[in-house]
Structure formats: C-alpha cells, structure tokens
Amino acid sequence: MNTFKIDSIKPGTAFNSDLFIDTLFLIEPAGVAVSQEIVNALHEWEFPEIVSEGNISLADLAARKSVAISGMSSESFDSSHSVSSGIKRVLEDMERSRALKDSEAARLEAVQNVYNEYMNYINYLYTRYATHKEINQQNLADTIQDLCIFIRDNRRYVLRITPSNKQDNGVRNKNYLIEHSMRSTVLAITIGLQLHMSLSKLVELGAACMIHEIGMIRLPPQMYLTNKQLSPAERAQISTHPVIGFEIAKELRFPLSIQLGILEHHERENGLGYPRHLTGDKISIYAKIIAVACSFESIIAPRNYKAERTTFDAMVEMLKNENHQYDETVIKALLYSVSLFPIGAYVYLVNGEIAQVIDVNPDNPKNPVVQLLGETNDDGTPKTIQTNSTDMRIIRVLSKEESADVLKHLKSKVAN
C-alpha cells in the first residue's frame, strides 16, 4: 500500500487504484476524482493520511484523453462533445441546487433533467451510428463514468423515474429503444454497484448495456416499434439482433468483454436463451447483469397485448426465476438495490396511509423506507418512515391508475 498525506491531496485528484482509509474504508473507487467535499471531510475527521495500492493518475488520464482526442475527426469530436457538455452542464446545475439545499421536489426535478440529457446522449449514439457508422468510444467511456457516479450519488432519486413508452394506435413511441436502453443501463449499473464492481468494469458494463440494442437499427422498425404480437418468422428475425449488435461492436473494435455482453444478453442460465444456447458460467458477467436489468425493465414497460405490470410484479417475477433463467446472485443484487417493493412504487400501509418507496433497507429488502404522501415534518420537509413487519407493514402496491388518482388528488388539494 502507498500512503498519501491529506495535505497533498487536491480536489480533482484521481488514483489508478481504489482509495482507502486504513486499508478498510473505501473513499473513492479507482479513477474517480476526489471532491472538495471529501477533502474537507478528511480534514474534519482528522485523518492525517490515506492509502492506495496505486498512485495519482490525473496526468495519465489527461494523457489518454489527449491521445484519444488527437485521433478523432473534428466533426465527430464536436458532435459528441456538445452532447456530453449538455450532460455536464445539467450535472453542475444539480450540484449547485444540492449546495443550496433545495427541496425534495427540486432535487427530483434536477435528477430528471440529468436523466433526460443522458437520454439525449443515447439518442445521439444510435443516430450517429445509423448515419455515420461510428461511435466515439472515449467519449462513451467518459460519459458512462459520469453516469456511474451520478447513479451512485442519486440512486434513490434516479430509480423513481419510470418509463413512459407512450403509444399511439398500438405503435410504441419512436424513442422506445432509447428509453429501454436508458432504463436498462440505470438498472445494470445499480446492480453492478451492489456487486461492488470496480469503476472500470462498471464503465464497460454501462457501455455494453447502453448499446445492447444497437443491432435493432438494422432491422425493419415496424418489428420493434409495434405492440402487436409478432409472427414466428418475425420473432426469428428479431432474435438476430444480438448477433448484429455483436458484429457492430466488433467492427468498431470495442473490447471483447463489451462485445460478449451485447451478444449474450438474451442467453439464459438454463441454456434456453439465444443465440448460442449457453449455460451458467459460459455466459459473461456483463450479459448476466444486462439480462436481469433488461428483463425487469421489459416487464414494466407498457404493452397493448398484456396487462399493466407494476415494478412489484416485475420483482416478484424475477425472484420466482422460473426454470432458473437468471443468475441468482444478480437477482439478489437487484433485490437489495431496489427492494421487494421497488423504489418509486406507491404503496398502501396497514394503518391506511399511502406512501411512496424512496429507499432500500439494507438489512431487509421487504421493509423499505417510504415517504408518506401529503404529510410533512415540523420543518416542512416530507415525512419519511422505516416500514416494518408489524404496525408499519406494507399491504400492497397501488396500480398505476390508483397512483395517478392519488397524485391528482394531492395536486388539487395543494392548489386549493
């Protein structure tokens, strides 16, 4: 272990290995810059030094970015840079909002704005490939790294954002692939964080998940934009998209780990997946995580040909894991990341009150933290409680219609 004096650590300094206090408590994972807040806290706690197996990597990171930028065309750099700048600008606005200790509603709105900017970035990625057959890998890696940190710091807000997938006459919104990719990527990174993956692996996982559906854009759009059940021939054609996506990633020289994450995200533990019918340990870890994230998201996404499903329904279905389709460790990580009654769900309590799940209980995923609707503390902040298995038990999850009615009632109550 290498030792570094606190006085020598400046905000923005990053290390090429995890950074610890006394080799036990993780301060920041490898590659994540130390913030001013962390530096201040270390001084306040009177820790004279910190340790890492690596060294300061700020110069190395800058050099890698310089090399990557020098090899790009000005057109591709300017396009990707402008989209990334939009994300960074909104992130900075959100940080200023946090510093001002804005309300819970303001924080949610700020997180939604950042989320929307990432959606714009995914749309840019897919459009750029469709029109220019290129993806700027360095820009993608940098953007994913920012997303990983954003999710880590705002998990309980990000997970409250639900997919819209608006439909018109049985046709999905044209942004369906973008929304699905974004939501799946958020879930995949959340699972990766729960599994304590290193930042470098989280970035690879996020990149694989963000473009795991890129093969779809070479298929007729009516196949994946429709909400009608597909014919056997159409399903067979749709099932080629992991191979097409793999070929795209291979042509663009993505790392093999990312290529396999895309290729194998429809493989299943029992060998009944596709395209190669792999089983168990033969499936890459990124593909195992994407499979769970993608399947969970697909269950709650609206469809004309199936009943509306809640996030609770989706979690129960994943936990059943019929025919052992998914990796049990990954499912457990999903459960402990979002809880049995997933973050964002509106629930009915045993005492007759209605609440929204806002955070997990690390000791028991059956009893999450909830925010009581229409109730506040003496200082005006929303009232939150820890549910339990007795007097604060969750009875059931509200349907989307019930949730909409409750929110409508609350808004009218506030207006009056």
Side-chain angles (χ1 to χ4, degrees):
M1 282 284 183
N2 298 317
T3 302
F4 303 88
K5 296 294 183 182
I6 295 301
D7 291 337
S8 69
I9 305 301
K10 305 298 181 185
T13 302
F15 291 75
N16 55 19
S17 185
D18 292 346
L19 191 62
F20 293 88
I21 297 175
D22 296 333
T23 72
L24 180 60
F25 298 105
L26 179 67
I27 301 174
E28 292 287 11
V32 177
V34 178
S35 66
Q36 180 68 62
E37 182 180 359
I38 291 294
V39 173
N40 293 343
L42 290 171
H43 281 291
E44 182 180 343
W45 297 335
E46 298 182 347
F47 284 106
E49 55 192 30
I50 51 181
V51 296
S52 174
E53 291 184 351
N55 291 293
I56 295 174
S57 63
L58 194 59
D60 293 338
L61 288 171
R64 283 202 297 273
K65 286 188 178 182
S66 176
V67 171
I69 290 173
S70 66
M72 284 188 276
S73 68
S74 59
E75 179 184 7
S76 64
F77 173 70
D78 288 342
S79 299
S80 58
H81 180 70
S82 63
V83 178
S84 298
S85 295
I87 293 173
K88 290 185 180 298
R89 185 177 62 254
V90 177
L91 279 169
E92 289 168 0
D93 289 343
M94 193 187 78
E95 287 304 313
R96 282 192 289 272
S97 174
R98 289 177 65 182
L100 293 172
K101 300 185 185 305
D102 280 354
S103 67
E104 181 89 351
R107 179 76 178 276
L108 280 169
E109 182 179 357
V111 168
Q112 178 74 67
N113 290 338
V114 176
Y115 186 96
N116 292 341
E117 287 298 325
Y118 278 108
M119 289 269 288
N120 291 337
Y121 179 75
I122 298 175
N123 184 64
Y124 159 77
L125 276 183
Y126 278 63
T127 302
R128 188 72 187 178
Y129 179 77
T131 56
H132 292 74
K133 300 295 184 288
E134 66 180 24
I135 293 177
N136 182 337
Q137 291 191 47
Q138 183 61 55
N139 184 262
L140 174 60
D142 291 343
T143 304
I144 293 291
Q145 177 167 307
D146 289 341
L147 178 59
C148 291
I149 298 168
F150 170 68
I151 293 172
R152 182 199 65 183
D153 294 344
N154 299 278
R155 176 184 52 82
R156 71 188 190 93
Y157 297 97
V158 178
L159 292 175
R160 287 157 76 173
I161 299 174
T162 55
S164 59
N165 289 344
K166 295 178 181 178
Q167 304 165 48
D168 183 18
N169 296 324
V171 178
R172 293 178 188 165
N173 184 293
K174 64 181 180 180
N175 288 329
Y176 157 71
L177 285 181
I178 309 305
E179 293 186 357
H180 172 70
S181 297
M182 179 63 191
R183 183 68 176 172
S184 297
T185 301
V186 167
L187 289 167
I189 291 174
T190 300
I191 291 170
L193 286 166
Q194 182 67 34
L195 293 172
H196 304 293
M197 296 177 74
S198 68
L199 183 60
S200 60
K201 290 188 180 299
L202 282 173
V203 170
E204 286 191 338
L205 169 64
C209 195
M210 192 169 277
I211 61 173
H212 78 281
E213 299 284 35
I214 195 111
M216 286 285 200
I217 66 177
R218 287 190 181 173
L219 298 174
Q222 62 269 23
M223 285 191 175
Y224 55 83
L225 291 182
T226 183
N227 257 331
K228 297 178 181 178
Q229 292 199 43
L230 301 177
S231 68
E234 289 172 328
R235 284 198 300 271
Q237 191 170 357
I238 281 287
S239 67
T240 64
H241 78 271
V243 175
I244 298 172
F246 166 76
E247 291 173 348
I248 290 172
K250 186 176 181 181
E251 289 168 4
L252 295 176
R253 298 185 178 180
F254 273 91
L256 180 61
S257 56
I258 293 178
Q259 295 178 31
L260 293 178
I262 295 169
L263 175 65
E264 298 171 359
H265 74 272
H266 276 291
E267 299 287 359
R268 296 295 180 258
E269 296 291 305
N270 56 15
L272 297 180
Y274 62 86
R276 295 189 292 166
H277 308 293
L278 300 179
T279 58
D281 293 340
K282 296 177 183 177
I283 304 171
S284 72
I285 183 59
Y286 296 161
K288 288 172 181 278
I289 294 173
I290 296 172
V292 169
C294 186
S295 297
F296 182 88
E297 198 284 328
S298 294
I299 294 170
I300 63 176
R303 299 287 191 277
N304 277 357
Y305 57 83
K306 69 178 179 66
E308 192 83 5
R309 308 292 297 278
T310 66
T311 51
F312 173 73
D313 295 328
M315 181 58 72
V316 170
E317 185 167 325
M318 297 303 296
L319 289 172
K320 286 180 180 177
N321 198 10
E322 292 184 359
N323 300 318
H324 190 59
Q325 298 181 68
Y326 308 103
D327 186 288
E328 293 286 353
T329 300
V330 177
I331 291 178
K332 184 177 180 180
L334 173 67
L335 174 65
Y336 277 83
S337 297
V338 304
S339 91
L340 176 62
F341 302 96
I343 293 175
Y346 290 92
V347 294
Y348 186 75
L349 304 180
V350 68
N351 64 359
E353 295 196 73
I354 296 175
Q356 184 182 31
V357 179
I358 62 167
D359 207 351
V360 297
N361 174 0
D363 297 322
N364 189 340
K366 294 181 180 180
N367 299 322
V369 178
V370 301
Q371 181 176 299
L372 300 178
L373 298 190
E375 294 193 31
T376 58
N377 296 311
D378 293 339
D379 60 0
T381 58
K383 188 172 183 178
T384 63
I385 62 168
Q386 171 70 68
T387 59
N388 55 43
S389 300
T390 55
D391 60 320
M392 285 296 174
R393 187 173 75 256
I394 293 176
I395 298 295
R396 66 179 180 86
V397 173
L398 272 62
S399 68
K400 289 191 175 182
E401 291 80 6
E402 289 174 323
S403 300
D405 288 342
V406 169
L407 293 177
K408 184 178 179 180
H409 173 72
L410 283 175
K411 287 181 180 179
S412 63
K413 186 177 180 181
V414 170
N416 295 328

